Amino acid sequence: MASPSLAAAAPSPLEAIPLASRPAAPRKRPVLLLDTRPHPASLTPPLHSSTAAGAGAAAAAAAAASGPAQVRRKKSSHTPKPRWQTVLSVAAKNAALLAALLYLGDLAWRWSHPPPPSPPPRDGDALKAYAARVAELEASLDRALRMMQVQLEAIDRKIDGEVGAARADLAALLEEKRLALEEGLRRLDARAGELGDALAALERMEFLRKEEFEKFWEEFKDSLASGFGSKVDLDQVRALAREIVMKEIEKHAADGIGRVDYAVASGGGRVVRNSEPYVPKRGGFFGGWLGGGNPDPQKMLQPSFGEPGQCFAVQGSSGFVEIKLKAGIIPEAVTLEHVSKDVAYDRSTAPKDCRVSGWYDETPGETQSGHASKMAALAEFTYDLDKNNVQTFDVRTPDVGMINMIRFDFTSNHGSSLLTCIYRLRVHGHEPVSPGTAGFLA
């Protein structure tokens, strides 16, 4: 800051030039320059009072003239930067922005244009190292493959063992079920055979129709009313029922099956022809069993009462017998009997595969060739040793007329090659109402 003495001694050149004569200068930005140098002590001697008064007046005038400049200096406290600094700063910022843009553009170009893979090294050591790594990788893969094969083989053996055990258990279970099923089928077959016999016996029974029963009941009431009056009580019915039951019991006890036998010897049936009989040797087993002597074919038409040996023995395992019936009948069934297995010595002599034929003989003594044309099969059957010893077989041939002759043929027995025993043969049927001279209808 200028001292007051210097300011008074050297007036400002701006004050000396009038305002009207001053050239117009371009308006510039005011710049405040401060003198920050230290001022030495004033060497000017003290002024006299008049001088001091004049100096004071000059100072006051200078202060009044420089008042607006001082105010402007106070308002602008910061020093502006030089132009070169501003230019340098802008250039630096633009350079930094340009560098950033170039960097981002380079990154984008590299991302869109990746570099090509580098060619394998051509150096021999690098190739050897690469081959070693490939060999190591192949060895590792080979070891892993062998381990997997070992594990697969172990798993395969384990699965085979489990499957084998399961297969064995399943086979044992199936075998057990098969045996149980076969046993059940055998039992069912036996029951079926029994049921078949029962049904056959039921079919052979002659049931009364409703009309026949009503007719019988009316005749029964008439007979009772004629003997005991018009009133029929329960005791009379019981007495008649008891009489009927006793007659049926006697019939079953006499013949065993409750059916009329038209071939029985006591009723008039007889054997007219037969194959070669078996003649046992004296002192042999069959000689004592069959009673010795000449065999009698009429035994097969008589009740044997279950006694072993009371039969007609035929030579070999096949043969035939022709029987004359007591009367002409419409045949219904044939019954073949053998000794019971409970008392039999040897059941291999029983006939097995059999056939029964019949015809009507109008001329007694006719040769075999004469009646062969009239003969027709009535039944074919197999005698089963596992069933009852008395077995009845129905005539299956339809439209059978009246017959009075039958021929019994057997082609095999149950194992004996020496003889075949026929204990009893029965023929069942009914006599026609008006037989006349009717013959056998083939």
Side-chain angles (χ1 to χ4, degrees):
M1 186 177 181
S3 62
S5 60
L6 294 177
S12 175
L14 295 177
E15 293 178 356
I17 301 173
L19 295 175
S21 60
R22 295 178 184 176
R27 191 173 181 179
K28 298 181 181 180
R29 184 178 180 181
V31 178
L32 180 61
L33 300 177
L34 298 180
D35 188 7
T36 58
R37 294 175 298 176
H39 297 279
S42 179
L43 300 178
T44 308
L47 301 177
H48 296 286
S49 58
S50 59
T51 307
S66 62
Q70 291 178 0
V71 173
R72 286 194 299 269
R73 293 190 189 99
K74 289 181 181 180
K75 289 181 180 180
S76 156
S77 60
H78 296 285
T79 303
K81 294 181 181 180
R83 184 174 295 274
W84 64 271
Q85 290 184 356
T86 302
V87 173
L88 182 61
S89 175
V90 171
K93 291 180 180 179
N94 290 335
L97 180 59
L98 182 59
L101 292 176
L102 291 176
Y103 177 72
L104 293 177
D106 183 66
L107 288 180
W109 188 86
R110 290 185 181 182
W111 179 75
S112 62
H113 299 80
S118 59
R122 299 181 180 180
D123 192 12
D125 296 336
L127 292 175
K128 291 180 180 180
Y130 182 75
R133 293 188 61 184
V134 171
E136 182 180 358
L137 180 60
E138 291 179 352
S140 178
L141 291 176
D142 191 19
R143 288 194 300 270
L145 182 60
R146 285 198 298 270
M147 292 176 63
M148 291 178 62
Q149 288 179 353
V150 171
Q151 292 178 358
L152 289 176
E153 290 176 358
I155 293 174
D156 193 14
R157 288 194 297 269
K158 185 176 180 180
I159 291 176
D160 289 341
E162 295 292 337
V163 171
R167 187 183 293 111
D169 295 340
L170 182 60
L173 181 61
L174 290 177
E175 182 66 19
E176 181 180 357
K177 295 296 183 181
R178 185 186 65 81
L179 295 177
L181 181 61
E182 288 181 355
E183 181 65 23
L185 289 176
R186 282 195 294 269
R187 294 179 181 177
L188 185 61
D189 190 20
R191 296 293 298 275
E194 296 176 0
L195 181 61
D197 295 340
L199 289 176
L202 187 63
E203 290 178 358
R204 291 191 298 268
M205 293 182 180
E206 297 180 356
F207 293 96
L208 293 177
R209 295 191 302 272
K210 181 179 179 181
E211 295 80 5
E212 294 177 350
F213 178 76
E214 290 178 352
K215 181 179 179 181
F216 166 75
W217 179 248
E218 293 296 333
E219 294 177 355
F220 172 69
K221 288 193 299 182
D222 294 341
S223 63
L224 289 179
S226 62
F228 298 95
S230 60
K231 186 177 181 181
V232 179
D233 58 4
L234 186 59
D235 294 334
Q236 296 174 0
V237 176
R238 288 176 178 173
L240 181 60
R242 186 180 299 108
E243 182 180 357
I244 294 174
V245 170
M246 291 303 297
K247 288 181 179 179
E248 292 294 329
I249 291 175
E250 291 176 359
K251 183 173 66 173
H252 279 272
D255 197 52
I257 59 175
R259 303 186 71 170
V260 178
D261 181 14
Y262 287 90
V264 65
S266 60
R270 69 181 186 277
V271 177
V272 294
R273 293 181 67 248
N274 58 270
S275 59
E276 183 181 358
Y278 176 77
V279 179
K281 297 179 180 180
R282 295 184 178 181
F285 171 74
F286 289 105
W289 177 33
L290 297 176
N294 295 325
D296 184 9
Q298 304 302 325
K299 282 187 177 182
M300 61 178 294
L301 303 180
Q302 299 173 359
S304 62
F305 301 104
E307 183 180 354
Q310 298 299 319
C311 66
F312 173 56
V314 180
Q315 182 76 32
S317 59
S318 62
F320 74 94
V321 176
E322 292 183 0
I323 301 172
K324 175 74 173 181
L325 303 180
K326 61 172 290 188
I329 63 169
I330 305 299
E332 297 176 352
V334 177
T335 299
L336 180 61
E337 179 180 350
H338 197 74
V339 67
S340 175
K341 61 182 178 181
D342 297 329
V343 296
Y345 297 115
D346 183 10
R347 303 187 71 196
S348 64
T349 60
K352 186 177 181 181
D353 298 319
C354 307
R355 181 178 68 254
V356 177
S357 305
W359 69 97
Y360 190 83
D361 187 11
E362 296 180 356
T363 57
E366 185 179 8
T367 61
Q368 183 178 1
S369 59
H371 61 70
S373 59
K374 300 184 292 183
M375 187 185 305
L378 301 179
E380 292 186 6
F381 55 88
T382 299
Y383 185 83
D384 191 355
L385 292 179
D386 295 330
K387 296 181 179 180
N388 192 4
N389 62 314
V390 180
Q391 300 180 21
T392 301
F393 306 94
D394 295 330
V395 173
R396 301 296 183 182
T397 305
D399 301 331
V400 178
M402 186 173 65
I403 64 172
N404 62 357
M405 294 288 295
I406 68 164
R407 177 185 172 96
F408 174 70
D409 292 274
F410 57 93
T411 58
S412 64
N413 59 19
H414 284 273
S416 177
S417 59
L418 295 178
L419 72 158
T420 302
C421 292
I422 306 174
Y423 274 80
R424 187 176 179 183
L425 181 66
R426 314 181 200 186
V427 180
H428 312 292
H430 64 275
E431 298 183 25
V433 177
S434 299
T437 60
F440 176 75
L441 300 178

